[in-house]
Every structure is written in structure tokens, then in C-alpha cells.
């Protein structure tokens, strides 16, 4: 029998990662549509057309799934904010915020981003909530830092950086609550229009 018929350890690892992501995505959609408490692991298994015991090959519990879904949403935001914060060159604070806010708007239309906004970490045990909220705080500090940069370089009119960061994050997060994947507006259109409303109101 040809050795090529046997999967390598790397192939098995990659296959397991893909299946685990499929479990997490199916759960994120279910949590967003039905709520965390209204979703069972049977519901997740039904969406994937597998048995409930199969789900346990990839996750430990429903809490574990939610924690990972929220973490993945936050890590997307964290990576985007870190990349924009690290940019140098001639870009103004407002230019960099525009890039970040546009990416934020895209993220909250995706499976893990929507779960982050619609469900969040509140149903989780205290230790998990604390860890995820620490990550949230880091993202918020980057938002405020970019606002302060924009005020300093004159691209953003003088304002309270904390208030502006919260207001913008609130407006962008709300997209997850009304976005319809089957609706007439694409994520690109939503991101562009929503961010333009915010930017036009704060431009220096």
C-alpha cells in the first residue's frame, strides 16, 4: 500500500484545526441567533450534522466554546488595533483611526465578531471574564491613544478621547445587532458609510 495514503502528523493536525474551527463557527452563529442560554451542544451538532459526542472531540464544554469564540473576536480586533497603532509615516491620527474603524466594522459582521458583540463574556465564569476584559481594555487604550494622536496633530477636533473612543466603539459594535448577511448592504458598504458618518463629525 502506498505510503501516500497515510496522513502525516501535520496533515492530521491541520484537519483537526479545521474541524475545530467549524465547531466554533457553528456555535458562534447559534449563540448570536439563539442566545448563549438558548443554545445547546445538540443544536451545534445539528448544524454540523454530526453527533453530540463528536463535538467533545474538539471542545470541553459550552463555556469553553463561548470563551474561544469571544477570544477569537477580540484577537481580531487586537491584531487590527496593534497593526494600525504601529504604523508610522505621514498618516494622521484620523487616517489611522479610519483604517482601524473600517476594519472594526468588518469584524463585527463576521461570525466571531458578532458573537463577541451579541453574547460577549458575561455568561462565562469570573476567571474567563477577567482575562477577556483585560484584552478589551488593551484594545480600548489603543483607540484612545490614536484619538489623542489625532487631536495632537490637528486631524481631530479637540474632544474627550475616552468619550470619543467609547462613542465610536458603540456605534460600530451596534452594526452586529442590525447587520443582515442576506440583506442588500455588503459589509464593505456598511463599513464605509458608518465610518464616514463618524469621521465627518470629528474631523479637525
Amino acid at each position: 500500500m502506498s505510503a501516500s495514503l497515510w496522513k502525516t502528523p501535520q496533515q492530521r493536525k491541520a484537519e483537526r484545526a479545521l474541524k475545530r474551527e467549524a465547531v466554533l463557527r457553528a456555535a458562534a452563529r447559534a449563540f448570536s441567533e439563539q442566545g448563549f442560554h438558548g443554545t445547546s451542544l445538540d443544536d451545534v451538532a445539528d448544524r454540523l450534522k454530526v453527533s453530540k459526542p463528536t463535538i467533545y472531540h474538539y471542545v470541553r464544554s459550552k463555556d469553553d466554546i463561548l470563551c474561544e469564540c469571544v477570544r477569537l473576536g477580540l484577537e481580531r480586533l487586537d491584531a487590527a488595533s496593534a497593526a494600525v497603532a504601529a504604523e508610522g509615516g505621514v498618516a494622521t491620527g484620523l487616517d489611522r483611526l479610519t483604517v482601524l474603524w473600517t476594519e472594526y466594522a468588518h469584524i463585527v459582521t463576521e461570525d466571531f465578531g458578532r458573537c463577541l458583540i451579541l453574547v460577549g463574556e458575561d455568561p462565562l465564569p469570573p476567571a474567563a471574564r477577567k482575562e477577556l476584559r483585560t484584552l478589551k481594555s488593551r484594545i480600548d487604550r489603543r483607540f484612545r491613544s490614536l484619538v489623542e494622536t489625532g487631536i495632537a496633530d490637528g486631524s481631530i477636533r479637540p474632544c474627550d478621547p475616552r468619550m470619543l473612543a467609547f462613542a465610536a466603539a458603540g456605534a460600530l459594535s451596534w452594526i452586529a445587532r442590525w447587520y443582515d448577511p442576506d440583506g442588500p448592504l455588503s459589509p464593505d458598504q456598511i463599513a464605509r458609510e458608518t465610518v464616514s458618518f463618524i469621521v465627518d463629525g470629528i474631523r479637525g
Side-chain angles (χ1 to χ4, degrees):
M1 186 177 291
S2 170
S4 65
L5 294 177
W6 301 95
K7 292 179 181 178
T8 66
Q10 291 80 8
Q11 288 172 325
R12 290 195 296 272
K13 184 177 180 180
E15 184 178 88
R16 177 179 173 79
L18 285 173
K19 289 180 178 178
R20 186 172 189 272
E21 182 178 347
V23 170
L24 294 175
R25 286 192 180 279
R29 293 187 190 115
F31 293 156
S32 295
E33 294 166 12
Q34 302 166 203
F36 178 71
H37 297 297
T39 300
S40 68
L41 290 186
D42 286 313
D43 295 327
V44 178
D46 287 345
R47 286 173 178 251
L48 293 167
K49 295 180 170 50
V50 299
S51 66
K52 183 177 176 179
T54 299
I55 298 294
Y56 284 111
H57 285 296
Y58 304 100
V59 294
R60 295 188 300 271
S61 65
K62 196 168 80 162
D63 280 354
D64 179 43
I65 294 178
L66 179 60
C67 188
E68 285 302 299
C69 289
V70 173
R71 185 194 311 282
L72 287 165
L74 284 171
E75 286 178 349
R76 287 272 284 121
L77 291 174
D78 185 47
S81 63
V84 172
E87 288 179 359
V90 297
T92 66
L94 182 57
D95 289 337
R96 291 155 72 187
L97 271 174
T98 300
V99 171
L100 176 55
W101 285 341
T102 301
E103 183 64 13
Y104 191 119
H106 278 103
I107 290 169
V108 299
T109 65
E110 299 167 355
D111 292 331
F112 299 126
R114 293 189 75 206
C115 185
L116 165 64
I117 302 303
L118 297 177
V119 183
E121 74 280 1
D122 286 347
L124 293 171
R129 289 201 305 268
K130 182 178 180 181
E131 179 184 353
L132 294 170
R133 286 171 181 172
T134 297
L135 184 51
K136 274 186 172 181
S137 295
R138 186 166 74 195
I139 296 166
D140 176 61
R141 286 196 298 273
R142 291 204 188 106
F143 269 52
R144 277 189 262 177
S145 178
L146 286 170
V147 172
E148 290 166 356
T149 298
I151 294 171
D153 66 28
S155 59
I156 296 176
R157 62 182 177 79
C159 62
D160 182 329
R162 183 171 180 270
M163 186 177 295
L164 174 54
F166 282 160
L172 296 169
S173 295
W174 200 259
I175 291 171
R177 299 187 179 277
W178 56 260
Y179 169 65
D180 180 1
D182 299 318
L185 295 175
S186 70
D188 282 342
Q189 290 173 299
I190 291 169
R192 185 172 57 251
E193 290 297 317
T194 305
V195 172
S196 72
F197 295 150
I198 300 171
V199 169
D200 288 345
I202 65 172
R203 194 183 302 277

